Amino acid sequence: MEYLQRELNTLAEQPKFKFHPRYKRLGIMHICFADDLLMLCKAKKQSIKLLQVTFQKFSAASRLQANIDKSSIYMTGVKDDLKLDILQTLGFCEGTLPFKYLGVRLSSKKLTIAQCMHQVEKVTERIQCWSAKLLSYAGRLQLIKSVVFGLQTYWAQIFILPKRIMKMSNSLCRTFLLTGTTETSKRALVSWDKVCLPTSAGGLNVLNLGLWNKAAILKQLWALAENKECLWIRILVWLGVHRAIGSWQEEVQWTTTMAKRKSGRGAIISVVFAMVIALVWRYRNLIRFQSHNYNEDRLCKAIAVHLHIRGRTRRKWQPLLSQLNHMP
């Protein structure tokens, strides 16, 4: 990937190549997650052709080829005739946004109810199977705790799910627990909030989806803002930045403000911010799906190497890079 990065850096210096509008300030034209690659540029045929030639050069050197059946191109705000021309040039099928990565929809906006509806459908399918109908009350309770809520856990750690989705899932589980079916019933011996209480407080210790979702998201924010050993704080100290870390929105706003500055420090900080996000996501997937171990020193080294390689052709970066002659 370092070779690909060098080739893309060379491409970025060509005046004929145009960055994607939303990533121009950060100087980003590719994002790599695990073994997936996102390549970005403005919807101009010349820029797309240059990007394709650069990737083909990388493929010839590394023997890594793009799988046409699993690759797609995404375009917005492009006229039909230009879109058709681009598709014929690249040979890829057109994809639709938001697309899925590792089973999760990637979107820059908050998830809609329609995008999360299949989670409710999964819960319905699981409790409607023939084996679930034969369970006793205790068996239905155990199924809800171990299986049904497990379907929500993965998404709840990544996104804030719509409240309506939470209500629908809770309603299905409550009805199934009391009646053994998914049909709407007014039979409610006790409120669902009390069912979710710990056994010591008279409840059944059922996971509260809404509270779990908030706690999972807040844990990530805490790790970013308060954990002094977190990667983002460690990298900032390496760059000579000593400041109180705020919320996610505040950090994004601060990084965006730094990226707008003409100094090399602002550009370096914006690049490091993007690298931290990309690498954390990559290693998270490697840990979850390929049983890799988390090594923060390895991540810091990857960021430092990437920064120095990229900074060879940027004069404004040189004063700061000369001071960063050690690992974070």
Side-chain angles (χ1 to χ4, degrees):
M1 296 310 296
E2 293 181 6
Y3 175 72
L4 176 61
Q5 182 62 56
R6 291 198 299 269
E7 291 298 321
L8 292 176
N9 289 341
T10 303
L11 174 61
E13 297 176 358
Q14 299 188 25
K16 295 181 179 180
F17 179 80
K18 305 299 180 182
F19 280 90
H20 187 284
R22 289 200 172 188
Y23 294 89
K24 184 176 181 179
R25 292 173 180 172
L26 298 178
I28 297 174
M29 71 175 71
H30 90 286
I31 305 174
C32 184
F33 298 114
D35 57 351
D36 289 346
L37 179 65
L38 303 178
M39 304 184 70
L40 314 164
C41 72
K42 195 170 184 179
K44 298 292 184 181
K45 187 177 178 180
Q46 190 175 37
S47 298
I48 294 175
K49 189 63 178 179
L50 288 172
L51 192 62
Q52 182 187 30
V53 171
T54 302
F55 180 76
Q56 289 175 346
K57 185 178 180 180
F58 164 75
S59 297
S62 64
R63 303 297 181 182
L64 297 175
Q65 302 290 332
N67 190 326
I68 297 180
D69 296 332
K70 296 182 179 180
S71 301
S72 301
I73 181 170
Y74 303 89
M75 294 176 282
T76 58
V78 181
K79 296 181 179 180
D80 293 338
D81 55 344
L82 178 58
K83 182 182 296 186
L84 181 61
D85 194 8
I86 293 175
L87 291 174
Q88 291 177 348
T89 301
L90 297 180
F92 294 124
C93 297
E94 183 181 6
T96 57
L97 295 172
F99 59 90
K100 285 186 176 182
Y101 177 73
L102 296 177
V104 177
R105 293 180 181 270
L106 298 184
S107 176
S108 59
K109 300 180 180 179
K110 185 178 180 179
L111 291 178
T112 63
I113 295 176
Q115 293 172 349
C116 299
M117 189 58 68
H118 72 283
Q119 290 293 314
V120 178
E121 295 173 354
K122 285 184 178 180
V123 173
T124 305
E125 292 175 0
R126 187 63 185 88
I127 62 182
Q128 280 184 338
C129 67
W130 67 270
S131 58
K133 295 179 180 179
L134 303 177
L135 293 175
S136 63
Y137 184 87
R140 295 197 297 269
L141 176 62
Q142 185 60 36
L143 179 64
I144 290 174
K145 287 183 177 181
S146 61
V147 179
V148 176
F149 282 112
L151 297 174
Q152 307 282 341
T153 301
Y154 180 63
W155 277 52
Q157 295 184 70
I158 305 175
F159 302 109
I160 297 179
L161 301 178
K163 291 183 179 180
R164 184 176 175 184
I165 296 297
M166 298 291 190
K167 290 182 179 179
M168 294 175 68
S169 298
N170 285 336
S171 178
L172 285 170
C173 293
R174 180 178 63 249
T175 303
F176 174 68
L177 178 64
L178 298 177
T179 66
T181 65
T182 58
E183 298 178 0
T184 304
S185 173
K186 294 183 179 180
R187 180 183 179 186
L189 303 179
V190 65
S191 68
W192 188 249
D193 290 337
K194 292 185 178 180
V195 173
C196 295
L197 291 175
T199 53
S200 59
L204 296 178
N205 201 28
V206 175
L207 189 66
N208 186 307
L209 284 179
L211 293 179
W212 163 255
N213 190 193
K214 292 180 181 179
I217 298 298
L218 287 174
K219 180 182 178 181
Q220 295 185 10
L221 295 177
W222 173 86
L224 181 63
E226 300 296 336
N227 187 0
K228 302 306 179 183
E229 300 299 325
C230 78
L231 183 61
W232 176 233
I233 296 179
R234 179 174 174 179
I235 292 297
L236 285 181
V237 173
W238 179 60
L239 295 175
V241 179
H242 301 277
R243 55 182 292 272
I245 305 301
S247 64
W248 169 255
Q249 289 80 4
E250 292 172 342
E251 292 304 297
V252 172
Q253 183 61 41
W254 177 76
T255 307
T256 303
T257 303
M258 295 297 295
K260 294 179 181 179
R261 297 182 178 179
K262 297 182 179 180
S263 64
R265 178 180 293 271
I268 289 176
I269 290 175
S270 63
V271 171
V272 169
F273 182 74
M275 282 286 295
V276 168
I277 296 174
L279 288 176
V280 168
W281 179 264
R282 178 194 300 176
Y283 275 89
R284 171 194 172 280
N285 294 332
L286 290 175
I287 293 171
R288 176 176 287 272
F289 299 101
Q290 299 182 22
S291 301
H292 280 230
N293 295 324
Y294 177 77
N295 190 322
E296 189 170 295
D297 292 334
R298 187 186 306 167
L299 267 68
C300 291
K301 182 179 179 180
I303 294 174
V305 171
H306 170 84
L307 201 61
H308 279 275
I309 292 176
R310 189 167 182 176
R312 291 177 180 175
T313 58
R314 289 169 168 77
R315 294 181 180 179
K316 292 183 179 180
W317 293 22
Q318 298 305 318
L320 180 57
L321 288 179
S322 61
Q323 302 174 17
L324 303 177
N325 54 4
H326 60 280
M327 291 298 171

